Amino acid sequence: MSSEPGGQRRRSGRHPGAPRGAGPSRSFAREVFLLQLLLVTLLVVAALVAVVVQTRRDTMADARHRTTAAAQSFAHAPGLLQALAAPDPTAVLQPLAEAARKDAGVDALIVYKLDGITLTHSDPAQLGRHVIGPYAEAAEGRAFTRTFHGALGLSVVSAAPVKDRTGQVVAIVSAPLTVESVQNAVNRQLPVFLASAAVAVGLAAGGAALVSRRLRRQTHGLGPAEMTRMYEHHDAVLHAVREGVLITGGDGRLLLANDEARRLLALPEDAEGREVAELGLEPGTVELLTSDRAADDEVHPAGDRLLALNKRSTTPFGGPRTSVVTLRDTTELRALSGRAELARARLRLLYDAGMRIGSSLDVVRTARELAEVAVPGFADVVTVELRDPVLRGEEPDGAGPELRRSAVAGLAEDHPLYPVGRLIHFVPGTPMADSVHSGRSVVEPDLAASPGWRSQDPERAQRILDSGIHSLMVVPLRARGVVLGLVNFWRSGDSAPFDTEDVSFAEEVAGRAAVCIDNARRYTREHAMAVTLQRSLMPRALPPQEALELAHHYLPARAGVGGDWFDVIPLPGARIALVVGDVVGHGLHAAATMGRLRIAVHNFSALDLPPDELLGHLDELVARLDVQDEDTEDDAPAITGATCLYVVYDSVSGTVTAATAGHLPAAVVLPDGTASLLQPPVSPPLGLGAGLPVETTELTLPEGSRLVLFTDGLLAGRHRDLDTALASLLTTVAGPGRTPEQIRAALTESLPVRPDDDIALLVAGTHLLDPDLVAVWDVEPDPAAVGPVRRACARKLEEWGLDHLAFGAELILSELITNSVRYGKPPIRVRLLKTRTLICEVSDGSSTAPHIRRAKESDEGGRGLFLVAQYAQHWGTRYSVRGKTIWASQSLEAGAGEEEAFADFLGGDWDDLEL
């Protein structure tokens, strides 16, 4: 009995191993059954026909015999002649003929005279009629039997003559038997025949079905075409396939072996049917073939071959308890796989080298990555030596083989090789010196037999050999045709010596590393230049002032020095400008652009321009610079993308005036801790203004407020959405009583060490100038009003303890007030501010500015404002919507010798100022 899975496959009409045809096909068992059934049916039908024909023939013969006997018997019956001679022969003969007819079993017994008149008949209507028929032969005295149509239809008729004593025929007796009667006799037997035939067909069909069922079990429901195809496949497996196939039985016998298996295992011709243990195979192979365990690519020896065996049982698939074993020769494949595995390892190592070497633009780190990537996959120890100019970012020169060891990998702390940082001068004849000189790789498979290598340091060379290092390969690090350094691959212990096949791989790795090292060298040079440039352009220290408490932070991006900057610029009148800007990009160009913009902002600030005018001039400057850069032959990018925020804080009034050119707004933190954005009207970045005006916003802050200016790099790591990032920043800076340094620390504590973009941050805490240090006078437009104001100024200076500045201050105020009275417009106002300097300011409603000119000998005036320039440390003019302000500042330490200076001035011939 087969298992359930096998039974299911037989019910489905397909064996698991049967090939799949293009469509449904009859099974071989079914075709045999139909053929048997057809043959039996034909035989039964033939037999039935034969029986029917034979029965009919026998019946017809019996009919002839019966009619002949009946006619003969009645023709020779005693008293027939007397009856014929009687006056009414019919009356005598009719009863006798009917009785004889019934006894004989014929349809009629007819007596005719020679004249053809019927004397007796089974049909009374026929009596006395003239009968026409083939009776001439009987009239001549010969009896006969014929079949012809008579009064009763188609009949078998026998006629016999009736002779008198003289032998003369006097009458004829005929006995007909109709064919219908004969057929009825046959038909009465036909049901028996048919029943017998049906029984015979049924018995034959049952037998054929039993035979077919048995055959179907044996053929698994396969059709002839499939059986033929299976045989062809079987034959191909046995003779054509180049992989050995064995089938072993559960009793340990070999049931089948194809040609390849016979060749691989050297099996004898009569191997099939014998026990596996008798075939002379290896014990391990015998154990596998006779056991029940499965196997996957188990390697077994077979003579001088190595065979990979796979074994599976056929029991789960409904077959008999057998196992299928496949074999293939892996002798050459083992050697090839070893080389392929080595090639895969080398490719993997090259991939790792491409991924790991050059992860940073640092020369030493790149050299260390080169050393680490080759250990232990390719070498046991790797050392890297570089030229000193390469380490400094400079172009390597053509000096001798003097290199500095930059990286070591694969060595213990007490290794005998030169340490990292050692400057090594390789003597001529060593592999290192030869490689540097020729620019080619040098292989020393056996260091013990290399006198050139030993000549570098014989004592150290012996210690290296004693540590187990035995083979060396030196590969130059070449980039752009220049040797940047060397990489030395060392092998020790049981590792195979280097050979020529290792050179190409080592040169590939070294070539990639050399490009990365050269890139790092160039970046180091550019980065050093950019850092130097940036340090020279960025403010090294914030200027001294009393209006703001400042905290600042600058963090360069991962890509290097960028174009973000901040600045603090003191302005006249106890004011201070806070600047923050951003130039898109990194490197030298961004740093140089930042420096150009910073210098431009300083120059425009020296003119004491309002924030909107300053940014307008800066926008025009950037546009002109872009046009000039386009006319040059170099590929320097334009400045487009630079932004700037300019904020002016007045410590006297607490007013903040701000304007922006595409920059993010500043944050304002009030003393109560609430934070908001100081948002000037939006203007495009620098260089894109296209003549559009820049607008300002103005806000008066209470003392103790905080201003936070920053670039967009501060928001890059917070959120993608700008509004969300700004809201997060406001949350961070909000809170009462926090110093600018605390706010700076809160904003920078979560920043990465090397962000993706530059970060510039400037936090300012506001202070108001003490009102006692501010003095203001309104002046009437009358020259007589100059004296009272000058005396009031002297009293205020005495009150501030600045008596030593009174002489100069009075001269400055006298000149400035007199000029405003003569040439200006009311209202005229005088203001004194005591800060780190003494500031004298005179404001009027005119926009006419003073300028310096050389006074001629014949001029009566023109020297007064030059006196201002002599006594003031700085002086200048600023404009507002209501007019102008001329200011002059004096150092609080000045004042000694002012009278002598004034006397010298009166005796000289100097340039002067006039309106």
Side-chain angles (χ1 to χ4, degrees):
M1 293 298 290
S2 63
S3 62
E4 183 64 24
Q8 292 177 354
R9 289 182 177 86
R10 286 193 292 273
R11 286 196 295 271
S12 65
R14 183 175 295 277
H15 187 262
R20 300 182 179 272
S25 60
R26 294 179 178 178
S27 68
F28 179 70
R30 184 180 180 185
E31 292 190 2
V32 170
F33 168 73
L34 293 177
L35 182 61
Q36 287 179 330
L37 184 60
L38 178 62
L39 181 60
V40 170
T41 302
L42 291 177
L43 291 176
V44 171
V45 170
L48 179 61
V49 172
V51 169
V52 171
V53 172
Q54 184 63 36
T55 302
R56 185 173 181 180
R57 183 181 300 167
D58 292 345
T59 304
M60 292 295 290
D62 179 69
R64 286 193 294 271
H65 293 158
R66 191 185 305 171
T67 56
T68 300
Q72 290 286 358
S73 298
F74 197 76
H76 295 87
L80 179 60
L81 293 175
Q82 290 81 359
L84 290 173
D88 189 4
T90 299
V92 176
L93 293 176
Q94 181 66 22
L96 296 175
E98 282 298 312
R101 179 188 68 79
K102 294 179 179 179
D103 292 338
V106 295
D107 291 332
L109 197 59
I110 307 171
V111 178
Y112 306 95
K113 288 184 178 183
L114 293 178
D115 55 4
I117 300 302
T118 303
L119 299 178
T120 63
H121 202 286
S122 58
D123 184 8
Q126 299 295 327
L127 293 175
R129 293 187 177 185
H130 187 272
V131 177
I132 298 175
Y135 297 113
E137 189 176 352
E140 293 177 357
R142 295 190 298 273
F144 68 88
T145 301
R146 301 277 178 82
T147 301
F148 65 92
H149 282 279
L152 297 178
L154 183 62
S155 304
V156 177
V157 179
S158 295
V162 180
K163 299 178 179 180
D164 59 7
R165 290 185 178 86
T166 62
Q168 292 293 322
V169 177
V170 296
I172 299 171
V173 178
S174 66
L177 182 63
T178 62
V179 174
E180 182 179 358
S181 299
V182 175
Q183 187 64 39
N184 289 337
V186 175
N187 291 341
R188 285 191 297 269
Q189 296 180 10
L190 187 59
V192 178
F193 295 156
L194 293 176
S196 300
V199 171
V201 172
L203 292 176
L210 292 176
V211 173
S212 298
R213 182 178 179 183
R214 178 63 179 174
L215 186 60
R216 185 168 62 251
R217 289 183 179 180
Q218 296 297 324
T219 61
H220 299 284
L222 299 177
E226 291 176 326
M227 292 184 66
T228 302
R229 194 179 300 114
M230 285 190 65
Y231 175 78
E232 292 173 352
H233 293 172
H234 177 271
D235 195 59
V237 169
L238 288 180
H239 304 294
V241 71
R242 302 312 300 167
E243 185 168 304
V245 178
L246 300 175
I247 298 181
T248 58
D251 56 355
R253 293 182 179 275
L254 179 64
L255 302 181
L256 182 142
N258 70 342
D259 293 348
E260 184 68 8
R262 292 177 181 275
R263 183 184 71 85
L264 295 176
L265 296 176
L267 297 177
E269 292 294 333
D270 59 344
E272 295 180 354
R274 295 174 57 182
E275 292 187 1
V276 175
E278 300 175 357
L279 301 179
L281 304 178
E282 295 290 336
T285 307
V286 173
E287 186 275 331
L288 175 63
L289 297 180
T290 56
S291 65
D292 293 332
R293 66 182 179 88
D296 290 312
D297 288 334
E298 284 192 13
V299 179
H300 291 260
D304 58 349
R305 303 177 184 273
L306 289 177
L307 304 181
L309 274 66
N310 293 271
K311 181 181 177 183
R312 291 293 184 274
S313 174
T314 62
T315 303
F317 304 96
R321 185 172 174 270
T322 58
S323 298
V324 177
V325 181
T326 59
L327 313 91
R328 65 177 182 275
D329 191 353
T330 62
T331 306
E332 297 180 0
L333 184 61
R334 273 305 178 90
L336 291 175
S337 64
R339 290 195 292 270
E341 182 62 30
L342 178 60
R344 282 195 298 270
R346 294 289 171 84
L347 288 175
R348 190 182 307 112
L349 191 57
L350 279 177
Y351 174 78
D352 292 341
M355 295 297 293
R356 293 175 58 184
I357 298 177
S359 62
S360 67
L361 292 174
D362 182 85
V363 174
V364 175
R365 181 174 177 180
T366 303
R368 189 182 308 116
E369 290 169 345
L370 168 61
E372 292 174 350
V373 78
V375 175
F378 180 69
D380 298 310
V381 179
V382 176
T383 59
V384 181
E385 292 84 38
L386 298 176
R387 296 184 184 274
D388 273 350
V390 175
L391 295 172
R392 295 191 299 268
E394 301 173 2
E395 189 73 24
D397 52 20
E402 191 173 72
L403 306 174
R404 188 175 300 277
R405 179 146 293 174
S406 304
V408 173
L411 285 176
E413 294 183 357
D414 57 346
H415 64 84
L417 297 177
Y418 290 122
V420 174
R422 173 75 174 268
L423 183 62
I424 308 172
H425 179 80
F426 294 105
V427 300
T430 60
M432 293 76 170
D434 293 343
S435 181
V436 171
H437 178 72
S438 65
R440 298 178 181 177
S441 302
V442 177
V443 178
E444 291 289 349
D446 186 5
L447 289 177
S450 175
W453 174 73
R454 285 176 173 268
S455 63
Q456 174 71 31
D457 189 341
E459 181 181 354
R460 187 180 295 272
Q462 187 59 46
R463 290 167 52 198
I464 293 174
L465 293 174
D466 293 342
S467 68
I469 296 177
H470 57 75
S471 183
L472 168 66
M473 179 165 52
V474 182
V475 181
L477 295 171
R478 293 172 55 90
R480 300 175 292 105
V482 179
V483 177
L484 307 178
L486 298 175
V487 54
N488 305 313
F489 300 97
W490 311 76
R491 285 183 178 174
S492 62
D494 298 333
S495 300
F498 289 108
D499 53 28
T500 54
E501 293 184 359
D502 298 321
V503 174
S504 59
F505 171 77
E507 290 179 343
E508 178 69 21
V509 175
R512 297 186 181 188
V515 173
C516 295
I517 291 175
D518 190 52
N519 290 338
R521 178 197 63 80
R522 297 169 65 182
Y523 170 78
T524 300
R525 179 184 61 182
E526 182 178 341
H527 183 265
M529 295 172 61
V531 169
T532 302
L533 178 61
Q534 187 192 43
R535 287 177 179 175
S536 65
L537 297 176
M538 287 284 287
R540 299 186 181 183
L542 298 181
Q545 47 80 37
E546 298 176 348
L548 296 173
E549 178 185 358
L550 298 172
H552 59 87
H553 184 81
Y554 175 77
L555 186 61
R558 181 187 299 112
V561 176
D564 290 17
W565 94 94
F566 65 89
D567 217 334
V568 178
I569 305 173
L571 300 176
R575 296 173 303 127
I576 190 166
L578 304 177
V579 188
V580 64
D582 186 0
V583 176
V584 175
H586 299 88
L588 285 175
H589 177 75
T593 301
M594 177 270 292
R596 297 165 79 180
L597 295 181
R598 179 170 178 263
I599 293 172
V601 171
H602 270 269
N603 290 334
F604 291 138
S605 298
L607 299 177
D608 208 355
L609 298 175
D612 52 344
E613 294 185 22
L614 184 145
L615 291 183
H617 288 299
L618 191 63
D619 178 71
E620 294 176 0
L621 173 64
V622 171
R624 288 197 304 271
L625 291 176
D626 283 344
V627 173
Q628 294 174 3
D629 291 341
E630 289 178 357
D631 296 336
T632 60
E633 296 180 357
D634 57 6
D635 297 329
I639 308 178
T640 302
T643 64
C644 184
L645 174 64
Y646 191 83
V647 179
V648 175
Y649 174 68
D650 189 342
S651 62
V652 177
S653 62
T655 302
V656 172
T657 306
T660 180
H663 200 82
L664 294 171
V668 178
V669 184
L670 298 178
D672 60 359
T674 58
S676 61
L677 295 176
L678 179 62
Q679 293 184 319
V682 178
S683 297
L686 297 175
L688 301 179
L692 296 177
V694 179
E695 300 181 39
T696 61
T697 186
E698 190 171 292
L699 177 68
T700 301
L701 297 179
E703 186 173 12
S705 300
R706 304 288 183 260
L707 288 171
V708 182
L709 287 73
F710 54 90
T711 57
D712 57 357
L714 186 66
L715 306 179
R718 294 176 179 267
H719 302 278
R720 293 182 181 271
D721 181 70
L722 179 60
D723 293 336
T724 306
L726 289 174
S728 175
L729 182 139
L730 292 177
T731 303
T732 304
V733 302
R738 302 174 70 183
T739 65
E741 181 60 29
Q742 290 173 336
I743 294 177
R744 182 206 63 80
L747 289 172
T748 59
E749 64 181 0
S750 61
L751 294 178
V753 177
R754 300 298 299 273
D756 294 332
D757 195 7
D758 297 357
I759 296 174
L761 174 64
L762 182 62
V763 184
T766 63
H767 297 288
L768 291 177
L769 188 63
D770 190 346
D772 294 336
L773 301 180
V774 179
V776 180
W777 297 275
D778 291 328
V779 181
E780 294 296 329
D782 184 359
V786 176
V789 174
R790 186 173 57 193
R791 289 189 292 274
C793 174
R795 290 193 297 271
K796 179 57 69 174
L797 292 179
E798 183 180 359
E799 179 183 341
W800 288 342
L802 300 177
D803 297 341
H804 58 285
L805 299 179
F807 181 80
E810 289 183 31
L811 287 177
I812 291 173
L813 285 176
S814 295
E815 181 62 27
L816 295 180
I817 296 173
T818 300
N819 285 338
S820 293
V821 170
R822 286 182 180 180
Y823 309 107
K825 296 180 181 180
I828 301 173
R829 172 171 292 185
V830 177
R831 188 172 71 165
L832 285 181
L833 303 176
K834 180 188 177 184
T835 59
R836 290 180 176 270
T837 62
L838 176 64
I839 301 174
C840 301
E841 297 180 347
V842 177
S843 304
D844 61 61
S846 173
S847 59
T848 305
H851 61 280
I852 298 178
R853 71 176 180 86
R854 179 178 294 274
K856 299 179 180 179
E857 294 181 356
S858 59
D859 292 341
E860 296 181 358
R863 294 177 175 84
L865 288 181
F866 183 77
L867 181 63
V868 174
Q870 289 295 111
Y871 276 90
Q873 186 179 13
H874 301 286
W875 75 278
T877 305
R878 67 175 180 270
Y879 298 89
S880 66
V881 295
R882 293 181 297 273
K884 69 175 182 300
T885 299
I886 303 176
W887 59 270
S889 64
Q890 293 177 273
S891 173
L892 299 182
E893 305 298 329
E898 290 182 348
E899 291 81 356
E900 292 80 358
F902 179 68
D904 294 339
F905 167 73
L906 293 178
D909 186 10
W910 301 90
D911 293 343
D912 201 1
L913 290 175
E914 74 171 7
L915 296 178

